[in-house]
Amino acid sequence: MTGSNSKPFDLDQQSVSQAFHIAVQECPPNCPCQQVHIVLQEIDGDDFASASMSAQLAREVAARLTERADQADLRLARRAGQVS
């Protein structure tokens, strides 16, 4: 897996935690940065990753996640014989 400005990410070579919850927050109205903040949590509620990003980057991430989720759903449907 790669990002636009990142090194390839090898899931087989990394310790990967599965997110069971994502907390999304925005800055209060008087905050000068006006960033979107996310926290990924494991099933037991422990935080394992967080990020802050601009509104534009948050939109790009959301679009890429939606695209990948749609592809994953299609692969699962194909495996189940629901789609050819």
Side-chain angles (χ1 to χ4, degrees):
M1 296 169 55
T2 62
S4 59
N5 293 320
S6 65
K7 296 177 183 176
F9 186 78
D10 185 348
L11 289 174
D12 294 330
Q13 300 298 317
Q14 302 294 322
S15 173
V16 178
S17 294
Q18 182 170 351
F20 285 88
H21 181 74
I22 181 171
V24 180
Q25 300 175 330
E26 59 187 88
C27 290
N30 60 345
C31 180
C33 81
Q34 290 305 306
Q35 299 256 323
V36 176
H37 310 281
I38 62 170
V39 177
L40 301 176
Q41 298 175 331
E42 295 177 325
I43 196 164
D44 59 8
D46 288 342
D47 298 349
F48 70 88
S50 64
S52 296
M53 62 192 77
S54 68
Q56 179 58 38
L57 181 57
R59 286 184 196 94
E60 291 173 19
V61 169
R64 291 174 69 185
L65 286 170
T66 299
E67 180 183 335
R68 297 296 189 259
D70 290 347
Q71 291 173 1
D73 284 345
L74 181 58
R75 285 191 301 273
L76 288 172
R78 283 184 177 145
R79 288 182 187 157
Q82 298 170 351
V83 177
S84 59

